[in-house]
Amino acid sequence: LNAKPWRSYIANYTDAGSNILMILLLICVGMSTDFTDSDYLLGTMAAVIFVLVFVGTMVLLSHTVYKHIVPAPYFARFICHHKADAAAQARYLQLLFVQRTRQTCFIDSD
């Protein structure tokens, strides 16, 4: 199953993780309705889930701030070629690279 509604992997994993944690939290709440002997266990499970959500949110926020402060290079690849002999090959290589990887590529010549 390959269901990825978001463009970035981090957004997909965040969405999946938050949905799983919310389902676990709902299960804990559902289990706590009629049971009186398992209050300590349910409280511990709910606290662990809350801590996981909080830690996950902090990790994602710190990753976002890091990516904002330290940006990636503008071009993913750099191709250098001889003007007279390899211009067409370098352009073809650039087109293939951009098409297959969806990353940016810069062409320079000697």
Side-chain angles (χ1 to χ4, degrees):
L1 179 65
N2 191 7
K4 296 180 181 174
W6 308 107
R7 288 187 183 190
S8 69
Y9 288 107
I10 290 181
N12 287 317
Y13 293 135
T14 303
D15 188 28
S18 64
N19 285 330
I20 288 170
L21 290 175
M22 291 304 264
I23 289 170
L24 287 174
L25 187 62
L26 286 172
I27 289 172
C28 287
V29 170
M31 287 174 37
S32 68
T33 54
D34 293 326
F35 297 114
T36 56
D37 298 334
S38 61
D39 289 339
Y40 178 75
L41 177 64
L42 291 175
T44 304
M45 286 175 59
V48 166
I49 290 171
F50 178 75
V51 168
L52 286 175
V53 169
F54 182 75
V55 168
T57 303
M58 289 297 121
V59 166
L60 289 174
L61 284 175
S62 62
H63 178 71
T64 303
V65 168
Y66 173 76
K67 285 291 190 180
H68 184 70
I69 292 173
V70 182
Y74 187 70
F75 294 104
R77 299 288 182 254
F78 179 81
I79 298 174
C80 185
H81 66 88
H82 188 266
K83 277 185 184 178
D85 294 332
Q89 291 89 352
R91 178 65 64 183
Y92 181 67
L93 183 65
Q94 181 201 24
L95 291 173
L96 284 177
F97 178 77
V98 170
Q99 182 182 23
R100 292 184 182 177
T101 63
R102 300 190 197 285
Q103 294 178 346
T104 56
C105 183
F106 181 77
I107 292 183
D108 191 22
S109 61
D110 282 353

